[in-house]
Amino acid sequence: MIEFANVSYAYEKDRPVLRDVSFTVQDGETVGLIGCNGAGKSTVMKLLLGLLPCTEGRITAAGLPVDKAHLPQVRERLGFVLQDPDAQMFMPTVYEDMLFGPLNYGMTREEADRRIDAALKQLRIEHLKGRHNHRLSGGEKRMAAIATILAMQPEILLMDEPTAALDPYNRREVIRTIGDLSGTKVITSHDLDMIYDTCERVILLHDGAVCADGPAEQVLHDRELLESHRLELPLRFSVS
Amino acid sequence: MNKMDAALRELAGMDDLAALSSGIHRLHPAVKFLATILYIFTVASFSRYALSGLLPMVLWPVLLYQMSGIPVSLCFRKLRFVLPLVLAVGIWNPLLDRVPVLQIVTLTVTGGILSMCTLMLKGVLCLMASFLLMATTGIDRLCAALRAMHVPEYPVTLLLLTYRYISVMLREVSVMTDAYSLRAPGQRGIHFSAWGSFLGQLLLRSMDRAQSLYESMLLRGYRGGFHYAETRPIARKDWLFLGLSAASFAFFRLVPVAQILGGMFV
């Protein structure tokens, strides 16, 4: 479970980017975090991961408070897939990149290998295991980046723009993959069609505050709500 | 493809070379590292006039290049920017040392020319050996070998991350160079008036990029220590390679092979 309770945050004094944000994500839920540029989505993610210190309010993740004392345990339970796979993968091969997290958390190489094989199989990308990262296409990199996180078997999966810059085929592959993954997931994206396909609940952030929180079916059908917050209906609804 | 893209590909190509599977590639990285260090020390220990004595030392790297399936020409192609520097090391010697040491028919060879040639050859041989080590081992296995030899973690991690940072920086330079040239058609390179802002932006961008990578590492449990590539124990064939290499270095260092061979024909 994830809980944000009255969280506010400012990078500069008197210029808050989050204002009294509160929401809860239950175990097993898949939640889409949407909002226009500058709405505060990335800040929410960074606070949740402990990359920014929570100075006001309270954040808990997987039953642990997100604070300095609990950071290693929190991060072991959370898996974060970055928007740019190149910013995530830094080892020469997919296999070595996947090995990085499990070994850091004290797993034996055999156990890590077992998890890596399972993650690759789950994503149907066993053929990428020995490939060099710099030789992968954009879609392959994205899948490999997801695999590096799945190898850690996190309790909660966080994804930042998982379908950004993908062609239609790879986009569908990523959507299928997200749908196949079990567990708690939080996805930030401007691709509202993808959010509709993968999330049962949507939280709309605007100007650092939660403006709507409800079923995807309801929030993503609300043209007035979306347009008043500089978003648009998912393509499938606007076309029909 | 701009020059930076090409440089990036060449850097990435080193990982591809290291992924080949020859007998030399399969040797234990620590053994290859030790043999290379030993080779460099042996080459450096020749006196500055010992050009003929140094010549047989060419055999070791050339033989290993053949056995590893890596063309020697590739080494020279990849090191084309460094080689002129190596060759420039002894360039002043002919002016400083004009004592005749050798007479070949009517040609007088001074000590300066001889020492310049010796220095150049030493530089080229050391580069060839170092390149071979990198091309048949790869940075990760090399770092693993260094840790296995109890080199402190800090410099090893620094080496690994610096190597990785080079590619991050090159990628940023590549993107910025493309963006610049698309808005400055007909201009060759970057105008000096833009150098300041270009370098400043490059620093900021590559720092941002490095920060993202670092955060990604932190989120996967990084706490300052790397788990390097798994290395197997040193086997008998590794010891054999090291022993044969060391013996050949000692032989070529102590026995003037070139002179003996020359004496047989003169």
Side-chain angles (χ1 to χ4, degrees):
Chain A
M1 192 174 93
I2 295 169
E3 189 184 4
F4 263 61
N6 309 106
V7 175
S8 296
Y9 189 81
Y11 290 98
E12 293 169 46
K13 206 178 171 191
D14 301 330
R15 291 184 67 184
V17 285
L18 289 187
R19 292 178 288 116
D20 200 27
V21 170
S22 297
F23 64 83
T24 306
V25 178
Q26 298 297 337
D27 287 340
E29 244 187 331
T30 302
V31 173
L33 196 58
I34 63 170
C36 58
N37 291 333
K41 304 185 296 291
S42 298
T43 307
V44 166
M45 286 293 201
K46 287 194 168 190
L47 285 165
L48 186 53
L49 292 157
L51 292 172
L52 294 173
C54 178
T55 48
E56 204 179 324
R58 195 184 74 250
I59 305 171
T60 54
L64 293 164
V66 181
D67 55 25
K68 208 171 175 180
H70 295 90
L71 268 190
Q73 295 95 310
V74 168
R75 286 175 177 169
E76 195 174 354
R77 289 164 170 77
L78 302 182
F80 182 45
V81 181
L82 273 73
Q83 179 179 350
D84 180 3
D86 282 328
Q88 183 167 328
M89 298 171 70
F90 49 88
M91 300 295 272
T93 64
V94 172
Y95 170 69
E96 284 162 298
D97 230 302
M98 292 182 74
L99 207 52
F100 183 80
L103 291 186
N104 277 331
Y105 286 116
M107 240 167 268
T108 63
R109 211 166 270 257
E110 291 71 32
E111 170 66 4
D113 275 337
R114 200 184 54 72
R115 285 189 178 201
I116 287 169
D117 288 338
L120 290 169
K121 193 174 176 190
Q122 189 176 7
L123 300 184
R124 302 180 206 167
I125 52 167
E126 293 101 320
H127 58 286
L128 298 184
K129 186 176 178 180
R131 293 270 300 276
H132 280 84
N133 288 336
H134 65 270
R135 296 264 187 248
L136 301 179
S137 69
E140 288 172 334
K141 270 187 195 170
R142 187 60 53 93
M143 294 300 274
I146 296 173
T148 61
I149 300 303
L150 289 188
M152 291 164 55
Q153 296 188 349
E155 285 175 33
I156 299 168
L157 187 64
L158 311 172
M159 300 177 114
D160 186 13
E161 294 284 359
T163 52
L166 290 183
D167 63 33
Y169 172 79
N170 282 309
R171 180 177 168 278
R172 289 245 50 99
E173 276 297 291
V174 169
I175 291 172
R176 177 195 61 77
T177 301
I178 295 171
D180 287 348
L181 297 174
S182 56
T184 314
K185 286 165 275 177
V186 178
I187 303 166
T188 70
S189 184
H190 293 122
D191 180 353
L192 299 190
D193 281 281
M194 181 273 290
I195 292 286
Y196 185 78
D197 281 335
T198 54
C199 302
E200 61 232 36
R201 193 179 130 212
V202 167
I203 296 170
L204 170 60
L205 275 179
H206 188 79
D207 207 10
V210 174
C211 298
D213 183 349
E217 188 70 34
Q218 185 187 318
V219 175
L220 296 178
H221 266 102
D222 193 335
R223 180 190 291 265
E224 198 179 327
L225 173 75
L226 294 174
E227 288 184 353
S228 64
H229 295 100
R230 290 166 53 193
L231 295 172
E232 289 175 352
L233 281 177
L235 201 60
R236 69 184 67 175
F237 304 141
S238 56
V239 168
S240 62
Chain B
M1 184 164 58
N2 66 31
K3 283 181 186 170
M4 290 304 145
D5 272 331
L8 201 57
R9 279 177 183 275
E10 282 198 21
L11 194 67
M14 290 300 288
D15 286 333
D16 292 341
L17 287 178
L20 295 174
S21 177
S22 70
I24 303 300
H25 284 82
R26 285 192 296 271
L27 286 170
H28 195 281
V31 162
K32 279 189 275 185
F33 178 75
L34 285 175
T36 305
I37 294 292
L38 206 56
Y39 178 80
I40 290 171
F41 271 107
T42 311
V43 166
S45 72
F46 279 88
S47 86
R48 58 183 172 157
Y49 300 124
L51 183 61
S52 62
L54 195 57
L55 284 175
M57 292 298 286
V58 174
L59 288 175
W60 189 75
V62 169
L63 191 67
L64 293 195
Y65 273 93
Q66 287 300 315
M67 290 168 70
S68 60
I70 296 171
V72 181
S73 58
L74 186 71
C75 162
F76 289 109
R77 204 162 59 238
K78 291 221 183 238
L79 298 175
R80 63 191 175 279
F81 298 115
V82 190
L83 281 171
L85 296 175
V86 172
L87 298 178
V89 169
I91 206 123
W92 301 110
N93 287 21
L95 300 175
L96 301 172
D97 182 357
R98 299 181 183 193
V99 180
V101 290
L102 198 64
Q103 183 79 32
I104 305 171
V105 197
T106 56
L107 183 72
T108 305
V109 179
T110 65
I113 292 176
L114 196 61
S115 62
M116 180 184 74
C117 294
T118 310
L119 268 177
M120 286 176 176
L121 185 60
K122 280 185 181 183
V124 170
L125 291 180
C126 291
L127 273 181
M128 282 175 75
S130 309
F131 180 81
L132 186 74
L133 174 68
M134 282 300 294
T136 59
T137 310
I139 188 74
D140 293 277
R141 275 183 284 171
L142 188 63
C143 288
L146 291 172
R147 286 296 294 137
M149 290 188 296
H150 302 289
V151 175
E153 182 149 13
Y154 183 72
V156 178
T157 304
L158 199 65
L159 173 73
L160 184 70
L161 292 182
T162 305
Y163 186 84
R164 296 259 172 265
Y165 184 71
I166 290 170
S167 61
V168 170
M169 202 173 70
L170 281 177
R171 206 166 287 141
E172 291 305 320
V173 175
S174 171
V175 170
M176 286 177 67
T177 311
D178 279 345
Y180 181 92
S181 58
L182 287 171
R183 284 183 290 156
Q187 213 179 90
R188 290 188 68 187
I190 293 157
H191 193 264
F192 74 91
S193 62
W195 284 6
S197 56
F198 192 89
L199 285 175
Q201 281 299 315
L202 172 65
L203 181 70
L204 291 174
R205 287 172 64 113
S206 58
M207 277 169 63
D208 272 352
R209 191 82 172 175
Q211 181 67 25
S212 294
L213 279 170
Y214 178 63
E215 284 178 356
S216 156
M217 287 161 70
L218 283 181
L219 296 177
R220 287 195 276 158
Y222 177 71
R223 281 172 216 147
F226 259 94
H227 296 275
Y228 296 97
E230 198 170 40
T231 49
R232 58 172 174 76
I234 298 178
R236 192 178 293 173
K237 64 172 182 178
D238 302 312
W239 288 119
L240 188 67
F241 169 78
L242 187 60
L244 283 175
S245 297
S248 65
F249 301 159
F251 178 74
F252 290 134
R253 180 68 186 86
L254 299 172
V255 181
V257 180
Q259 282 180 27
I260 294 169
L261 285 174
M264 289 166 69
F265 297 104
V266 177

